[in-house]
Amino acid sequence: MKTRLICIFSVLLTLFLGAGSLRYIKDFWLFSFTYSFQLHIGITGAVAAIIFFLVLRSRYMLFLLAWAIALSAHATMLRYEFVSPAGEAVTGHPFKLISFNVLGDNYVNGARIADFIARSGADVVYVMEGAPLAPYLARIAEAYPHRIGCMVATETCDLLVFSKYPLEDARFVTLSDLRRDRMAVAKVTAADTTINLVALHVTKPYFDDYHEEELHVASRIMRALQGPLIVGGDFNSSAIAPDMRRFQQRNNLHVSNFEPATWPIEAGHFGIPIDHVFSRMPATMTSLTRLPDAMGSNHYGLEAEFNIQRQ
């Protein structure tokens, strides 16, 4: 009986850790869901290997434990690769951004979210799935008189950008033939410095190759933008996924600290960060925090602060 149990649990745990290691074999969209959960798979596998070893005394579990620890360690290293925590020492003009996927059918909380945005004190707010805010745009406009999205520059009411400053050269970009106007590009001028703004709502990574293709289109546009750059939105993927890492490398994007989990909200701090805010010099992020209340959404929002250096 013990031999049979060892065999069963060894096979199951090997397959589980194998799923978490697929990125080392092939970067393929069908495996994309496991890329974002690599750290979770590694930690869960390590705990399971310890329990199975203590119960079954199988030396093979020690091998699986080492495998799980290696997976966890590499995932942690990947999450720190683009962290640049020196932002507080940089002098410049302070700037605050909020990025929040409010959930497209979250109408019951529309007024509450609108009031939160109006009182947030942010310079700019990115909103994804913004239809619940449509009845309250006039209320938000009292604090943010400048907007694109929801019948301004587009007929869709998914992606919105609210700003205290005039939005210059504002436009929407369709990233793929799956959904339209999922990228917003604009500029604002604050303290005599022009800041490039990019808001994104990227397709889920297990929808064929759309996720990688959309990031590629976004990168092509972003590389043409000169000066400080602030990028945020719902990427539907952790930053450690291979195509997300390429996106950050191509555009020289960084964060100020370990990214907080934003989805699923039921997992709290044990979820994964699929919503992101990045910056490129001379915009230096000084902090990145999660909004404490999801307000009915299935994502937590993010609040990021920056120092913008004059060019």
Side-chain angles (χ1 to χ4, degrees), residues 88-138:
E88 295 86 347
V90 176
T91 58
H93 176 69
F95 193 88
K96 180 178 175 182
L97 171 82
I98 287 177
S99 178
F100 188 19
N101 184 331
V102 304
L103 187 62
D105 60 358
N106 190 17
Y107 291 97
V108 69
N109 288 290
R112 180 183 174 201
I113 296 170
D115 288 340
F116 164 77
I117 291 173
R119 297 193 307 265
S120 68
D123 294 281
V124 172
V125 180
Y126 296 167
V127 170
M128 284 63 64
E129 301 190 32
L133 299 182
Y136 311 103
L137 293 175

Side-chain angles (χ1 to χ4, degrees), residues 53-87:
F53 175 76
L54 294 175
V55 174
L56 302 173
R57 298 294 177 179
S58 169
R59 285 178 291 182
Y60 182 68
M61 294 299 170
L62 296 178
F63 164 73
L64 296 179
L65 175 61
W67 184 0
I69 291 173
L71 272 181
S72 303
H74 189 224
T76 302
M77 290 172 58
L78 292 176
R79 287 189 65 175
Y80 273 109
E81 183 175 355
F82 297 96
V83 172
S84 298

Side-chain angles (χ1 to χ4, degrees), residues 17-283:
L17 294 175
S21 305
L22 289 171
R23 69 181 302 145
Y24 306 107
I25 301 171
K26 176 67 175 177
D27 178 9
F28 184 50
W29 66 268
L30 193 60
F31 306 151
S32 59
F33 197 66
T34 66
Y35 302 152
S36 293
F37 281 97
Q38 180 178 335
L39 181 59
H40 297 70
I41 291 172
I43 293 173
T44 303
V47 172
I50 292 172
I51 294 172
F52 293 158
F53 175 76
L54 294 175
V55 174
L56 302 173
R57 298 294 177 179
S58 169
R59 285 178 291 182
Y60 182 68
M61 294 299 170
L62 296 178
F63 164 73
L64 296 179
L65 175 61
W67 184 0
I69 291 173
L71 272 181
S72 303
H74 189 224
T76 302
M77 290 172 58
L78 292 176
R79 287 189 65 175
Y80 273 109
E81 183 175 355
F82 297 96
V83 172
S84 298
E88 295 86 347
V90 176
T91 58
H93 176 69
F95 193 88
K96 180 178 175 182
L97 171 82
I98 287 177
S99 178
F100 188 19
N101 184 331
V102 304
L103 187 62
D105 60 358
N106 190 17
Y107 291 97
V108 69
N109 288 290
R112 180 183 174 201
I113 296 170
D115 288 340
F116 164 77
I117 291 173
R119 297 193 307 265
S120 68
D123 294 281
V124 172
V125 180
Y126 296 167
V127 170
M128 284 63 64
E129 301 190 32
L133 299 182
Y136 311 103
L137 293 175
R139 185 184 307 181
I140 297 173
E142 295 176 4
Y144 295 92
H146 308 283
R147 175 185 106 240
I148 58 172
C150 220
M151 306 306 163
V152 177
T154 178
E155 295 179 359
T156 67
C157 205
D158 178 351
L159 188 60
L160 297 100
V161 176
F162 299 101
S163 175
K164 291 182 176 179
Y165 310 98
L167 292 164
E168 307 161 21
D169 300 328
R171 68 191 190 276
F172 280 90
V173 177
T174 295
L175 297 172
S176 70
D177 59 6
L178 191 62
R179 295 181 179 89
R180 59 175 296 193
D181 295 347
R182 285 292 191 94
M183 179 180 186
V185 183
K187 297 178 181 179
V188 295
T189 300
D192 298 323
T193 301
T194 299
I195 306 164
N196 295 289
L197 304 175
V198 171
L200 290 163
H201 190 183
V202 185
T203 297
K204 294 177 175 60
Y206 43 84
F207 281 28
D208 209 331
D209 289 320
Y210 279 105
H211 191 271
E212 183 170 8
E213 291 174 359
E214 290 181 3
L215 290 178
H216 180 73
V217 173
S219 291
R220 190 170 67 242
I221 295 169
M222 288 163 54
R223 284 197 297 269
L225 302 177
Q226 302 298 318
L229 172 65
I230 295 175
V231 183
D234 176 8
F235 289 78
N236 276 304
S237 180
S238 168
I240 70 173
D243 61 347
M244 287 291 295
R245 296 185 68 246
R246 289 190 291 269
F247 175 75
Q248 294 169 89
Q249 290 167 344
R250 288 170 183 160
N251 298 288
N252 195 25
L253 301 176
H254 296 274
V255 296
S256 66
N257 50 267
F258 198 76
E259 292 186 287
T262 59
W263 177 90
I265 61 169
E266 294 81 7
H269 295 291
F270 298 100
I272 58 174
I274 65 171
D275 302 88
H276 306 281
V277 176
F278 305 117
S279 67
R280 185 183 71 196
M281 293 289 289

